[in-house]
Amino acid sequence: MKSEPGECSIDDALAAPERTIPWTGVRNYQARNFMRDAMRPGDSVLFYHSSCAQPGIAGLAEVASAPYPDPTQFERASDYYDAKARRDAPRWYLVDVRACRKTRLIDIAELRACRPLARMQILRRGNRLSITPVAKSEWDYITRRLMEHAD
DNA sequence: GCCAACGTTGGC
DNA sequence: GCCAACGTTGGC
């Protein structure tokens, strides 16, 4: 899951109550569908810093709630307000995410240099989706790498 | 349903 | 700031 550290970094997430933050603001249907239809409490998450000086994996987290309507879609003052969303027909759903720990930063260049991650969705040319599935083999490789090259 | 125009993302 | 890539919008 991508987050702009200027908005919410892994440190911000760790400092939040219960180390948990609602993943507000997703306004892309594919990304929404992952949260609404595919993610379940307890699922593991790679916390990725994007649109910043050093993009890359910055921490580990987990899904901490079932999906529910993103409250910001109804807030007129919010950047994420959606005039077409209705209380009885929400358009946007989110999950809560609990930060587990900060890791050393595995930057995008390092990720790209890892053969076993060659097919990782986040590394695909032109990828813009803020939420993408991670294969078990990719998760295992990354967490093993974090143990072997300690932070 | 097509598709051009436009807006956004995000690495560099 | 640039620009490729992609999603969305809206006229037809």
Side-chain angles (χ1 to χ4, degrees):
Chain A
M1 300 179 83
K2 292 182 193 170
S3 184
E4 299 187 13
E7 294 291 318
C8 181
S9 68
I10 184 69
D11 290 319
D12 295 332
L14 284 165
E18 308 277 308
R19 306 198 312 266
T20 299
I21 49 170
W23 207 263
T24 50
V26 169
R27 294 295 179 270
N28 170 283
Y29 289 106
Q30 267 184 277
R32 176 205 69 182
N33 291 349
F34 285 132
M35 289 197 286
R36 192 190 60 184
D37 306 331
M39 296 164 74
R40 293 291 175 267
D43 284 354
S44 296
V45 171
L46 297 171
F47 196 107
Y48 182 92
H49 284 174
S50 72
S51 292
C52 59
Q54 274 195 299
I57 294 169
L60 304 180
E62 65 183 1
V63 176
S65 77
Y68 62 97
D70 182 341
T72 62
Q73 69 193 301
F74 307 119
E75 297 167 4
R76 300 197 74 98
S78 169
D79 286 345
Y80 304 121
Y81 177 69
D82 184 341
K84 293 178 184 165
R86 292 170 28 187
R87 296 262 176 198
D88 57 355
R91 287 184 133 191
W92 306 110
Y93 285 78
L94 52 67
V95 295
D96 291 342
V97 173
R98 179 182 305 114
C100 298
R101 70 179 183 95
K102 188 176 184 172
T103 64
R104 75 179 176 86
L105 188 93
I106 306 182
D107 69 20
I108 191 168
E110 181 176 348
L111 292 171
R112 287 195 194 286
C114 295
R115 306 300 315 180
L117 303 180
R119 304 183 67 99
M120 213 178 163
Q121 209 159 315
I122 201 168
L123 301 178
R124 293 214 188 128
R125 178 178 168 79
N127 168 68
R128 282 175 25 189
L129 262 189
S130 62
I131 300 175
T132 48
V134 176
K136 182 169 191 313
S137 62
E138 294 161 351
W139 172 271
D140 290 345
Y141 177 82
I142 289 165
T143 50
R144 203 179 322 126
R145 194 178 176 86
L146 282 169
M147 289 193 295
E148 288 167 4
H149 308 264
D151 2 18

